[in-house]
Amino acid sequence: PYTYMHLKTNTADRAPVSASVPISLDAGANGKIGVATFQVPQEGSTLNLTLSAPENSGFDPATTTFQM
């Protein structure tokens, strides 16, 4: 169910191994939290977390970059 969430490195594009992130939210929802666990290659130090959104869903896709 978490096909909208990916963690990308230079060499890999991974879906979560496990997640407790809500897969749907009511309009105006606030304060919802969850955890997603990914396996990534050891050589990847720059990571991009991408949250995609279906067309006409009312949501914009988002990406954030971080380093480990």
Side-chain angles (χ1 to χ4, degrees), residues 9-12 14 38-47 68:
T9 66
N10 293 356
T11 60
R14 307 287 172 115
F38 296 87
Q39 288 184 333
V40 295
Q42 287 184 313
E43 68 273 1
S45 62
T46 299
L47 306 167
M68 292 195 323

Side-chain angles (χ1 to χ4, degrees), residues 21-37:
V21 178
I23 57 173
S24 65
L25 300 170
D26 294 328
N30 193 344
K32 303 293 181 181
I33 62 171
V35 174
T37 304

Side-chain angles (χ1 to χ4, degrees), residues 2-68:
Y2 298 99
T3 58
Y4 66 90
M5 184 184 317
H6 288 266
L7 192 64
K8 297 180 181 182
T9 66
N10 293 356
T11 60
D13 181 355
R14 307 287 172 115
V17 173
S18 66
S20 65
V21 178
I23 57 173
S24 65
L25 300 170
D26 294 328
N30 193 344
K32 303 293 181 181
I33 62 171
V35 174
T37 304
F38 296 87
Q39 288 184 333
V40 295
Q42 287 184 313
E43 68 273 1
S45 62
T46 299
L47 306 167
N48 295 307
L49 177 63
T50 301
L51 302 175
S52 58
E55 287 188 36
N56 302 319
S57 67
F59 293 95
D60 294 325
T63 300
T64 189
T65 301
F66 57 97
Q67 296 206 324
M68 292 195 323

